[in-house]
Structure formats: C-alpha cells, structure tokens
Amino acid sequence: MKTYGIAIHGGAGTLVKGLMTPKLESQYLKALKKARNEGYKILENGGSSVDAVEKAVVLLENTPLFNAGKGSVFTAEGTHEMDAAIMDGTTLNAGAVSLVTGIKNPVVLARDVMDNSYHVFLAGEGAMQFARTQGHILETPDYFYDEVRYQQWQGIKDSETFQLDHSVKKDGKFGTVGAVACDQNGHVAAATSTGGMTNKKWGRVGDSPMIGAGNYANNKTCAVSCTGSGEFFIRGVVAYDVSCLMEFKGMTLKQAADEVIHKRILEIKGDGGLIAIDANGNISMPFNTEGMYRASQSSNGEKTIGIYK
Ligand code: ASP
C-alpha cells in the first residue's frame, strides 16, 4: 500500500500578543486535531482524498476560531463574504465560489460546483442562486457574529484600511483554513476556505478560491493550500508554482515549497505559508510568518501539530 496522509492549516501568522491565552491555545490545538483526525480516518478507511479534505475543512469552517465559515471576518459593509475552492488532482476537476454570504459551509458549495455544474468558478449572486438549487440552507447573520471580529472591524470600519484576521500590521494572523491529502491510491486533493480580510470592500477576492493561486492539486506533482496576504499569492500564482517547480524543474516537494515561500514570495514582499502533499504522501508545511496553525498525519507514522515555529 502507498503512503497516504493529510495536512491541514488554520492560517499563517500569530494572534496579537496578549490575546493568546493557554486556554485559547488549547482550543486551537483541539480544533486542529479533530479536523486532522477526522480527515485521516477517511483515508485510513480507504476513502478518497477529495472526501478527506472536504471533511477536514468543514470541521474548521464550523468553529468560530478560524476565519472561514462561522468565524469569517466582517466586510466594510458589516457582512460576511466567503470564498472557497476544492480540486481533485486525479481529474484536475475543480470547483470554487467567491463572495457568498450566509452559506454555512462554502467548501461544500465549491464541491457542488465541481460535481454538479459544468463550471469551475461561481461568484456573488449567481453562486447564491446555484446554492439554492443544491439545497444549501442559509444561516442568519447571527450565526457568523463573533465579538472579537466585530471589535476588529469597529476599529478600522471608517478607514480605508483592510486588515488580515487579528492582524497588527506586519505578521498578523490570517485564519484561512485548508487541507491537502493523498489517499491510498496516490490520488491528491486540496481544499481552501476563507472569510478574506476585515473591512474588505469592492468585491475584493483573495487567492483562496483561485485555482492555481491559493489552491491546486495534480497527481503528477502535489496538492497545495495557501494562507497569507492574498494579493501576493495571486501575483505569485503560488500553488501552481509549487507544482511547476516539481514538474518542470524536477524539484522535490520540500524543495519546491521552500523555494516559493522562503524565496519567490518574499521577493515580492508576500507573507504567509502553505501546506502541500505529493502523490507519495510526503508532506511539507513552510511559512515565513511567526507561526502557522497546522497539523498533519501520515500512514508512515508521522503526526504533527503546531502553531509557532
Ligand atoms: N489568503 C486569504 C485572503 O487573502 C487570507 C488568509 O490566508 O487568511 O483572502
């Protein structure tokens, strides 16, 4: 049997000093562990990498701790606009949604786009119409209300600033969630979900739902999910770049992921990180911020969980 495994992230960066208490830290670790374990269980039982990454991301979307689904940040209008994507490395099928509101699990909607439509990427009102045809139940705004995030928004609401989740200028906490997996057949998949940035406006879309920027999967190379300042990750076409370095330059997963996060993205002053897995089950999770909420498990016995460097 091939080596299989999963890696997940809950965003790069760290919480503002003073906000991270031992109690909160243990809640973060518990949420990460649960998402990783549930995703891994699917792989262990012979399930597909697509099902594993979707499950892990759903669990992360359901906790208020991360900036995705329930925990999504506030836009300039005081709403929540979410983005998500999923990609199957076997078929190169993909589904993505952007600027959706009220959807409990945007990653499930992205999966519906992949499985049940002829399209890859649906946005805004059209994506919402599609969601209704797929039977998604809409949550009311209170479901997404979180006092901490509301206060973050209040602090910058009337300014031109937009802010990464919990951020204090440089090295804030991003909070986007993602998962990558390789199943027992050596098939890889990636999923990413986010609320974007606090006080974002004008229909701002980050890298997370963009295939090739924040999310990519290809059995020939690897599956990648990114977190960080989306604008840089779009310009760097980061997720696809990792795959290209492997495919065209013959780099290993680790070499390619390090090259992108510690060199290429830094050259354009981008901060953040990524998780990646190749079709042999190797995992790499580099970041150039103070920390990245992350966890992984592989059938070779390796199990990791961490927040800081
Ligand atoms: N990449 C996300 C975005 O720019 C932010 C994050 O990683 O938290 O929308």
Side-chain angles (χ1 to χ4, degrees), residues 9 11-12 67 83 164-165 173-177 194-197 204-209 226-231 233:
H9 73 78
N67 172 19
D83 302 335
L164 290 158
D165 181 29
K173 175 186 173 300
F174 299 98
T176 288
V177 306
T194 187
M197 288 168 141
R204 183 264 183 191
V205 178
D207 60 312
S208 310
C226 302
T227 170
S229 307
E231 280 67 13
F233 281 72

Side-chain angles (χ1 to χ4, degrees), residues 42-55:
I42 290 177
L43 301 172
E44 209 172 23
N45 292 332
S48 76
S49 53
V50 176
D51 286 344
V53 294
E54 182 186 16
K55 177 75 189 187

Side-chain angles (χ1 to χ4, degrees), residues 163-302:
Q163 179 175 289
L164 290 158
D165 181 29
H166 292 158
S167 98
V168 266
K169 298 211 174 67
K170 208 67 191 144
D171 215 34
K173 175 186 173 300
F174 299 98
T176 288
V177 306
V180 293
C182 174
D183 61 30
Q184 295 186 18
N185 296 314
H187 295 168
V188 300
T192 307
S193 181
T194 187
M197 288 168 141
T198 300
N199 211 35
K200 65 181 181 176
K201 56 183 172 188
W202 302 317
R204 183 264 183 191
V205 178
D207 60 312
S208 310
M210 287 185 198
I211 301 304
N215 198 77
Y216 187 72
N218 188 334
N219 283 356
K220 271 199 224 164
T221 52
C222 61
V224 182
S225 170
C226 302
T227 170
S229 307
E231 280 67 13
F232 298 96
F233 281 72
I234 294 170
R235 289 163 54 204
V237 203
V238 167
Y240 186 58
D241 205 19
V242 175
S243 172
C244 285
L245 289 170
M246 292 178 71
E247 186 172 1
F248 304 121
K249 267 197 146 177
M251 288 188 179
T252 64
L253 180 82
K254 183 172 170 7
Q255 286 168 341
D258 283 347
E259 167 84 13
V260 170
I261 291 300
H262 296 302
K263 198 157 164 246
R264 294 190 180 215
I265 195 80
L266 282 180
E267 281 165 7
I268 56 168
K269 304 201 167 28
D271 50 344
L274 61 82
I275 53 171
I277 192 164
D278 68 18
N280 294 315
N282 297 304
I283 292 172
S284 185
M285 304 191 280
F287 51 94
N288 63 32
T289 44
E290 277 286 301
M292 180 168 80
Y293 293 72
R294 62 198 186 277
S296 70
Q297 185 166 1
S298 161
S299 62
N300 69 13
E302 248 172 58

